Amino acid sequence: MPVSTENMVKVFERPNSLNESQFSYCPGCHHGVVTRIVAQTIDELEIRERTVLVAPVGCSVSMYQWFRCDGTQASHGRACAVATGLKRVNPNLIVFTYQGDGDLAAIGTAESIHAANRGENITVIFINNQIYGMTGGQMAPTTLLGQWATSCPDGREGSLAGYPLRFAEMVAQLEAPVYVTRQSVYDQKRIMATTRAIMKAFRYQVEGKGYALVEVLTNCPTNWKMGPVEANRRLADEVVKTFPLGDLVDRGQSG
Amino acid sequence: MDNTFIFAGFGGQGVILAGKLLAQAGTEYGLHVTWLPSYGPEMRGGTANCTIVLSDEPIGSPVVDTPTGLIAMNLPSLDRFEKAVAGSGTIVVNSSLVARQVEREDVRALALPLNDIAASLGNPRAANMVALGALVKATGAVPLETVQRAVTTMLGHKASSELIEVNKRALAAGYEAV
Amino acid sequence: MGADTIDKVLMTGNEAMAEAGIRAGCRAYFGYPITPQNELLEYMSAHMPQAGGAFIQAESEIAAINMCYGASAAGVRTMTSSSSPGISLKMEGISYIAGADLPCVIVNVVRGGPGLGNIAPAQGDYFQATKGGGHGDYRMIVLGPSTIPEATEHVMLAFELADKYRGPVMILADGMLGQMMEPVVLPKPVDPATLPAKPWALTGAKGREPNIVTSFYLDPEELNMMDVKRESRYRQIEEQEVRYEEHETADATVVIAAYGSVARIARTVVKMARGEGIKLGLLRPISLWPFPYAPLRAIADRVDAILTVEMNAGQMVEDVRLAVAERAQTPFYGVLGGLVPTPKDILREVKRYAG
């Protein structure tokens, strides 16, 4: 029997800040979830018409093609420097970067840290999936010890390849950032928490409070060689032990 | 007519400042001017120096092979640049520190106890100004008053009025010593 | 004395180029300390905020050029400066700026190299500036000022050209030009509000479709289209923006080809040589890209030799030889290591080819 939609209420739709094109992320990847949350947040804060997104090099390199707001694309690792330039000359813009672990925490470490240290009034969304996605599964600065990657075929060995870099903790040591948090999206509860965190990060920028970093632990089923369910379980059971979830800094509450 | 000068001495003897002051005076006098700190082949060798060109025509090279005037605040500077000075040029030598005479006979040598003159004015550090005063008298490159006015232009916003006066007096003392 | 003295200010090249930038309507400067360009950065730190613009001493030259990318994408006249090793670091960013069709002015106060080299004047970055430097098919207008007044004019011009052709423009100075002082008449300030609008800028997608600033075109057909479009702009630049100066070339039998600081030293050599009866002239390329091939070719037909003089091991001489081919002798005289040739050095060299 056909279902009538006559009396149904539409409770979930494509955010207004996204256009009709499709994300280029792999099936089961968390990128799509986080990218959508960002779009929702822009809708809710009604800032689409003054938002500029800075796409990285990585899986979200062409992110600007999906959004109905102005956008640019930074050279590998330099998104925070590009965002700094945009925001400093036009403080009315809402500027955010969306970067992976290689972009933000390896090649772009200096730009990422120093934008945070200057307290640039920008929002940084940091996708930590512990691997290089776009280039095909090489080791990331956030790759767990023992984790396999195409460039550490025997698993990451700390004494040779260094240790998982806890970027949120590094930024939390600085004086300027107003909000630093690590979240994940492996279940509904975490998705809701990430949504609240991203909302807070953007709201602080709108209120002129300053720099916010939302690190999101995500999966990469393609390069982890796992199904999405198994990948989610790995995040919940294993990855969070190296990268604990929660707020590290929140100086935006008062005033 | 080009006046080309090299001011040389130990770091701290104020040759760079004296050179800038002459450049400023030249500018205020309406001349074409270049001031070049110690670059070029002569930068090797331990003396601080600068080259100043004053001209009533646009200046080509700010690098000078044969200066028409030299201030040598110490012996290494005299040793280095004496031979380069143009025939019938002027050499101001700081006889407070340099024991030997100028060997060239085709130049005008002015051996003046620059440190002692400056000390007698109450500021031994103004020896560079004494030298500059002597040089502008000997060469007529710019009037003394223009150099004195340039002291105010250059230092007015950062130096005390007392220090400015000391520098102006040192310029005058050098001028009168020639 | 003269009436013009009131407006003349004695400044170092570095300071004059900074002030000229502000007067050109530049409202974003990002840089990193490196000798011999520090005075430019320091001048900007004091004066850019007064002009209501953005100044940041960045964490690196890489960060600085990418801040420029962002500020320029926002539609603001933007500038950075550095010296040779720092310019190498900026090269990736310059390629992105070219690829994203962004205007930006870059000052290179060239020092001795390669590697850390030294802090003395040199011209060893000619190839890097005029032949690419960064990756990919792009061109950059390169201006080689010879004096401080000209350097200030070039900064004004560089901003106009950068906006007009939407690309990076470099001022190729050197440590001598940066550090020396000369009186300048400062140009009249440009009010940024009066500059032509930049409809492509990232100002927020209000009442229009989103603007995108990118150099990324995954589809080869699409990238080809963008590259070809840019190439046609480059041809237009080659036709319209060649700048050079000829000095005493009409009856010359030998002509010096030199740019920047060396060219002004060569001017004195021309005077000295003519005093000795040697018919010496000077051709001074002002735009190093586009290079004045045609004027050089024309001169080559009527002289015995074109002597290229540079503070490097022979870089611009390759362009001179390309222009001259077999029409005249094309000897080269270069000094390396941050040494500066004196008029006598150059005259001695001229005499080898004169008469």
Side-chain angles (χ1 to χ4, degrees):
Chain A
M1 203 173 99
V3 180
S4 164
T5 57
E6 205 175 306
N7 297 319
M8 285 187 172
V9 180
K10 199 169 183 181
V11 294
F12 190 79
E13 59 186 339
R14 183 181 286 268
N16 182 46
S17 295
L18 293 175
N19 60 33
E20 296 302 313
S21 58
Q22 291 213 336
F23 295 165
S24 57
Y25 302 130
C26 304
C29 170
H30 283 157
H31 256 303
V33 177
V34 183
T35 301
R36 191 204 145 87
I37 292 171
V38 170
Q40 259 170 229
T41 305
I42 292 170
D43 281 6
E44 276 181 46
L45 289 170
E46 298 180 338
I47 52 174
R48 182 188 67 80
E49 293 181 333
R50 60 186 183 114
T51 294
V52 177
L53 75 84
V54 183
V57 171
C59 296
S60 39
V61 61
S62 47
M63 188 177 190
Y64 50 79
Q65 292 177 348
W66 314 323
F67 276 74
R68 293 180 56 241
C69 59
D70 281 3
T72 185
Q73 195 284 315
S75 65
H76 200 17
R78 321 302 169 202
C80 283
V82 171
T84 297
L86 281 158
K87 186 75 181 187
R88 286 287 185 112
V89 300
N90 189 350
N92 186 48
L93 296 176
I94 300 301
V95 182
F96 76 94
T97 74
Y98 183 103
Q99 305 168 257
D101 38 44
D103 190 271
L104 177 129
I107 193 169
T109 309
E111 288 76 12
S112 306
I113 288 281
H114 285 277
N117 192 43
R118 288 189 303 265
E120 298 295 342
N121 189 23
I122 60 173
T123 304
V124 177
I125 309 296
F126 169 30
I127 305 298
N128 175 357
N129 64 1
Q130 306 103 57
I131 204 147
Y132 279 60
M134 195 176 70
T135 48
Q138 295 83 7
M139 186 188 73
T142 47
T143 295
L144 301 191
L145 289 178
Q147 182 184 335
W148 176 88
T150 59
S151 55
C152 52
D154 298 325
R156 186 178 193 173
E157 163 63 54
S159 65
L160 295 173
Y163 297 81
L165 195 77
R166 294 186 184 91
F167 195 81
E169 280 82 349
M170 285 168 68
V171 166
Q173 302 307 309
L174 306 172
E175 304 221 356
V178 289
Y179 184 48
V180 181
T181 188
R182 183 182 291 115
Q183 302 291 336
S184 189
V185 287
Y186 57 74
D187 63 20
Q188 190 51 37
K189 189 179 155 205
R190 299 294 162 192
I191 290 173
M192 297 310 289
T194 298
T195 304
R196 286 192 297 273
I198 290 176
M199 169 58 76
K200 185 184 273 187
F202 273 90
R203 189 162 51 77
Y204 282 172
Q205 183 181 170
V206 171
E207 293 167 357
K209 285 181 174 160
Y211 175 94
L213 171 83
V214 182
E215 177 174 338
V216 187
L217 298 184
T218 62
N219 64 10
C220 181
T222 301
N223 289 299
W224 291 3
K225 316 282 183 203
M226 285 179 192
V229 175
E230 194 189 352
N232 278 7
R233 203 174 297 128
R234 175 177 181 269
L235 277 173
D237 295 346
E238 200 183 330
V239 178
V240 295
K241 290 179 191 158
T242 300
F243 296 109
L245 302 181
D247 289 354
L248 287 95
V249 169
D250 188 353
R251 299 189 179 103
Q253 296 295 15
S254 55
Chain B
M1 176 56 202
D2 285 3
N3 275 304
T4 54
F5 300 113
I6 291 179
F7 294 1
F10 291 131
Q13 283 188 305
V15 294
I16 298 290
L17 179 68
K20 282 185 181 173
L21 186 59
L22 179 58
Q24 179 64 40
T27 302
E28 293 183 17
Y29 198 56
L31 296 171
H32 294 274
V33 177
T34 60
W35 173 89
L36 180 67
S38 55
Y39 279 136
E42 70 276 14
M43 76 176 287
R44 296 167 296 179
T47 64
N49 72 74
C50 60
T51 304
I52 307 98
V53 181
L54 303 177
S55 177
D56 42 24
E57 292 171 20
I59 296 166
S61 180
V63 179
V64 171
D65 288 295
T66 51
T68 58
L70 168 68
I71 292 176
M73 296 296 288
N74 61 7
L75 182 61
S77 301
L78 184 63
D79 289 346
R80 176 167 297 272
F81 294 112
E82 179 178 349
K83 284 193 184 70
V85 175
S88 62
T90 304
I91 301 182
V92 177
V93 180
N94 184 9
S95 63
S96 302
L97 296 179
V98 182
R100 79 165 171 88
Q101 304 288 308
V102 171
E103 286 160 7
R104 293 266 300 270
E105 288 175 359
D106 62 337
V107 298
R108 184 176 181 196
L110 299 166
L112 299 172
L114 302 171
N115 288 25
D116 303 298
I117 296 173
S120 73
L121 296 169
N123 189 343
R125 294 190 60 193
N128 57 341
M129 296 293 126
V130 180
L132 181 57
L135 186 81
V136 298
K137 174 76 171 292
T139 62
V142 280
L144 175 67
E145 298 70 36
T146 310
V147 186
Q148 289 179 319
R149 198 169 59 233
V151 175
T152 310
T153 316
M154 269 186 61
L155 303 177
H157 60 289
K158 51 186 175 188
S160 67
S161 57
E162 192 188 350
L163 187 64
I164 288 170
E165 283 315 307
V166 167
N167 279 306
K168 287 183 180 177
R169 280 207 306 277
L171 283 163
Y175 194 85
E176 283 149 21
V178 176
Chain C
M1 199 167 85
D4 60 337
T5 55
I6 307 147
D7 302 324
K8 281 197 173 174
V9 194
L10 184 69
M11 293 178 109
T12 66
N14 284 333
E15 291 168 334
M17 287 189 281
E19 177 61 31
I22 293 170
R23 284 170 185 248
C26 171
R27 290 297 179 269
Y29 172 91
F30 311 103
Y32 185 85
I34 182 170
T35 310
Q37 68 85 49
N38 293 317
E39 297 79 11
L40 209 166
L41 170 99
E42 289 164 357
Y43 192 95
M44 284 296 195
S45 74
H47 293 85
M48 185 56 90
Q50 286 173 10
F55 167 88
I56 298 177
Q57 180 177 324
E59 58 271 29
S60 69
E61 285 92 348
I62 298 171
I65 191 71
N66 284 287
M67 289 173 189
C68 288
Y69 180 105
S72 179
V76 172
R77 283 193 164 180
T78 303
M79 180 176 182
T80 186
S81 64
S82 190
S83 178
S84 310
I87 295 292
S88 292
L89 286 172
K90 288 186 196 294
M91 274 299 162
E92 180 204 36
I94 291 172
S95 169
Y96 273 75
I97 283 169
D101 299 321
L102 290 173
C104 183
V105 173
I106 302 126
V107 177
N108 183 0
V109 185
V110 181
R111 57 186 255 179
L116 195 54
N118 62 24
I119 59 172
Q123 296 183 321
D125 298 358
Y126 179 91
F127 282 154
Q128 183 196 50
T130 61
K131 308 295 178 195
H135 58 284
D137 272 321
Y138 76 94
R139 285 293 192 171
M140 175 163 65
I141 296 176
V142 182
L143 302 172
S146 194
T147 66
I148 296 175
E150 190 181 38
T152 61
E153 286 165 25
H154 279 186
V155 170
M156 303 292 284
L157 174 65
F159 277 103
E160 279 171 38
L161 295 174
D163 278 355
K164 182 175 177 189
Y165 295 105
R166 288 185 61 183
V169 177
M170 178 174 279
I171 310 284
L172 195 65
D174 62 61
M176 188 161 111
L177 197 64
Q179 295 289 311
M180 65 178 279
M181 294 176 99
E182 204 168 12
V184 283
V185 181
L186 292 165
K188 240 180 82 190
V190 172
D191 178 358
T194 63
L195 293 169
K198 294 174 175 171
W200 48 264
L202 307 181
T203 54
K206 188 174 183 181
R208 59 160 170 76
E209 287 299 301
N211 281 343
I212 302 299
V213 169
T214 186
S215 63
F216 180 57
Y217 299 93
L218 199 53
D219 173 11
E221 293 292 343
E222 206 183 345
L223 180 58
N224 170 65
M225 205 178 72
M226 296 306 293
D227 285 347
V228 166
K229 217 164 113 185
R230 203 172 296 115
E231 281 301 316
S232 74
R233 225 157 57 222
Y234 292 156
R235 296 297 84 77
Q236 192 190 339
I237 292 170
E238 285 174 331
E239 279 164 28
Q240 295 177 7
E241 307 298 347
V242 171
R243 289 174 168 80
Y244 65 98
E245 183 195 16
E246 286 188 42
H247 176 62
E248 306 264 5
T249 56
D251 64 341
T253 55
V254 177
V255 165
I256 293 175
Y259 74 95
S261 289
V262 178
R264 75 178 297 169
I265 298 170
R267 238 186 137 81
T268 296
V269 179
V270 170
K271 199 174 169 185
M272 288 161 70
R274 293 217 164 235
E276 296 183 27
I278 300 168
K279 287 180 177 168
L280 181 66
L282 169 69
L283 188 138
R284 179 170 76 91
I286 295 172
S287 58
L288 303 176
W289 190 84
F291 188 79
Y293 291 106
L296 262 161
R297 200 170 297 134
I299 284 180
D301 281 328
R302 55 175 205 262
V303 301
D304 299 332
I306 296 181
L307 170 67
T308 304
V309 184
E310 298 178 73
M311 294 190 287
N312 60 38
Q315 299 195 9
M316 186 183 78
V317 67
E318 294 196 2
D319 281 322
V320 172
R321 286 174 180 156
L322 205 57
V324 172
E326 304 300 320
R327 292 174 179 84
Q329 292 182 73
T330 50
F332 171 73
Y333 174 60
V335 291
L336 301 172
L339 296 176
V340 177
T342 74
K344 267 186 183 170
D345 295 337
I346 300 174
L347 183 61
R348 192 172 52 241
E349 209 55 30
V350 166
K351 284 177 178 171
R352 295 177 57 188
Y353 306 99

